[in-house]
Amino acid sequence: MIKTEITEMFGIEYPIICGAMMWLSIPPLCAAISNAGGMGNITAGNYDTEEEFRAAINETRKLTDKPFMVNITALPSIRISKEHHVMYVKVCADEQVAGIEVSGAPLDRAVGMEYIEMLKKAGVKLFHKVGSVRHALHAEKVGYDGIYAAGIEEGGHPLNDDVSTMILTPKIVDSVKIPVVTVGGIADGRSLAAALNLGAHGVMMASRFIATKECLVHDKIKEELVNRKEFETTIFGRSIGLQGRALMNDIVQEIIAIEEKGGGLEELIPLMGGDRIKKAWEEGDVQVAPLMVGQSIGLIHDVPTCADLLKTMGREAEETLNRSHNMIG
Ligand SMILES: Cc1cc2nc3c(=O)[nH]c(=O)nc-3n(C[C@H](O)[C@H](O)[C@H](O)COP(=O)(O)O)c2cc1C
């Protein structure tokens, strides 16, 4: 059994947290991960209205009595506004969810300091996903409870500082007093053990959870992740100031070609739209939309249940930590 400040803070069995996944981090997967002893995630951006968002929290609570977290992504978006962010925060405080993963702008800037106080009063733990020491220091200063240190390997939107997980984790561990969780490049027990050895108190992963029985994507997507290699993701979106890491495919190559020619948002947005991505996950066409995944796909070799995945990772991490211990002469 691995005990860290994260397992203690939330009373969970494994220091393994699911990251935000637009379209995919929804109640059935969230509850499966929490029931397996990790920390599930509901990504608030999936819900346009307060009713839908509350319904998702209630649905998850019917499926699990274990803690889970909510992600609030405060990045530039056509669909999700500041009013949505305020609504998400108020509902999380009212529903007293276990914790919030914020990405993009920190909450004091996205919605205001008063909402950080509201969440703290409700007992909701606050974590910010950052890609730099300076952003970690800011989050600690305004009262966050922990940091997700996300390296350039991660799927989604890594910070354009482009620092890898291996460097970012110890840098942030050395810079803040609150617990740090490693994000990016994590998919098995060895990478969990490595993160703990770098000073982290847990890991967050997202791509690995797509290739599980409970993730509601088409089976062809899961097969694709098992078959693809660690070098088959790429960064795109740099020219519009919002870089993303996705599976290398036809549409991402088209996007990169448009960016290289100096094409603007009006050409790019139709290729990157949320509906296109949602349809691709559901229908299993791996070429028609940017599918955000990290380099961690190189470590995915099977499609287990969440319970089997976490059990295997926990055992492998313990074996790895013991092996390191036994190396001491
Ligand atoms: C399909 C997918 C969708 C994602 N959507 C979001 C999102 O909406 N907001 C966010 O902050 N991060 C998002 N991320 C990033 C993850 O939360 C996490 O930081 C990252 O994927 C970790 O790297 P890994 O996938 O290699 O484990 C997404 C990741 C994936 C794989």
Side-chain angles (χ1 to χ4, degrees):
M1 181 112 177
I2 295 169
K3 251 169 91 174
T4 74
E5 285 182 29
I6 291 295
T7 57
E8 298 292 288
M9 184 186 291
F10 294 109
I12 55 178
E13 198 179 337
Y14 303 105
I16 302 173
I17 298 168
C18 179
M21 285 191 281
M22 194 61 200
W23 309 124
L24 310 184
S25 289
I26 51 176
L29 179 63
C30 174
I33 295 166
S34 291
N35 281 333
M39 177 72 85
N41 180 290
I42 292 184
T43 298
N46 286 315
Y47 308 99
D48 285 333
T49 66
E50 179 174 341
E51 291 67 38
E52 287 167 358
F53 182 43
R54 270 192 206 273
I57 292 174
N58 290 333
E59 184 185 343
T60 309
R61 286 191 166 143
K62 282 196 191 115
L63 299 171
T64 184
D65 58 0
K66 304 271 170 48
F68 57 89
M69 288 183 87
V70 169
N71 163 268
I72 300 177
T73 301
L75 285 171
S77 162
I78 295 169
R79 197 170 56 84
I80 303 297
S81 62
K82 180 177 174 185
E83 285 66 43
H84 283 99
H85 298 145
V86 169
M87 178 269 281
Y88 297 147
V89 167
K90 283 185 177 162
V91 171
C92 286
D94 190 40
E95 296 283 346
Q96 298 186 307
V97 298
I100 296 189
E101 167 206 352
V102 185
S103 54
L107 276 186
D108 56 308
R109 295 203 179 127
V111 289
M113 222 26 225
E114 66 272 30
Y115 290 99
I116 293 190
E117 278 144 30
M118 178 191 284
L119 288 163
K120 284 190 146 318
K121 227 180 257 165
V124 179
K125 299 290 183 200
L126 274 180
F127 282 70
H128 201 79
K129 190 157 66 184
V130 306
S132 73
V133 169
R134 64 188 182 282
H135 294 151
L137 288 170
H138 177 84
E140 182 179 49
K141 194 172 92 198
V142 298
Y144 275 78
D145 299 288
I147 301 291
Y148 293 138
I152 185 68
E153 300 94 322
E154 73 157 346
H157 296 290
L159 182 72
N160 56 4
D161 278 12
D162 296 352
V163 178
S164 72
T165 296
M166 187 85 174
I167 309 300
L168 194 65
T169 299
K171 283 292 287 189
I172 295 184
V173 165
D174 287 348
S175 308
V176 299
K177 293 190 184 67
I178 51 182
V180 175
V181 169
T182 294
V183 188
I186 310 294
D188 62 15
R190 294 166 302 176
S191 37
L192 164 58
L196 299 177
N197 273 330
L198 290 174
H201 282 267
V203 293
M204 167 186 279
M205 49 188 207
S207 304
R208 173 66 268 202
F209 282 118
I210 302 176
T212 59
K213 295 254 185 319
E214 294 91 341
C215 183
L216 295 176
V217 294
H218 197 283
D219 281 349
K220 279 194 196 150
I221 301 276
K222 300 180 189 182
E223 276 165 37
E224 189 76 7
L225 293 192
V226 169
N227 291 331
R228 290 293 198 107
K229 301 285 183 282
E230 59 280 6
F231 50 81
E232 293 185 86
T233 70
T234 189
I235 293 281
F236 69 102
R238 277 204 172 116
S239 66
I240 54 168
L242 184 61
Q243 73 173 9
R245 180 179 294 284
L247 193 69
M248 182 59 106
N249 65 8
D250 292 348
I251 207 85
V252 169
Q253 274 169 316
E254 199 178 326
I255 290 169
I256 292 171
I258 293 172
E259 290 191 85
E260 281 169 359
K261 276 195 311 210
L265 271 180
E266 58 294 346
E267 266 186 274
L268 292 168
I269 281 181
L271 305 181
M272 295 161 58
D275 290 344
R276 178 187 271 271
I277 300 174
K278 185 166 185 270
K279 194 159 173 271
W281 290 126
E282 284 168 2
E283 295 180 0
D285 188 337
V286 295
Q287 299 298 341
V288 296
L291 300 174
M292 313 304 272
V293 291
Q295 293 180 346
S296 59
I297 58 166
L299 298 173
I300 300 176
H301 308 299
D302 57 3
V303 182
T305 61
C306 290
D308 284 343
L309 173 65
L310 295 202
K311 218 179 283 165
T312 307
M313 279 185 70
R315 196 192 56 237
E316 196 181 32
E318 282 182 27
E319 285 165 9
T320 308
L321 292 169
N322 277 330
R323 194 169 140 258
S324 323
H325 182 76
N326 292 336
M327 283 175 182
I328 301 169

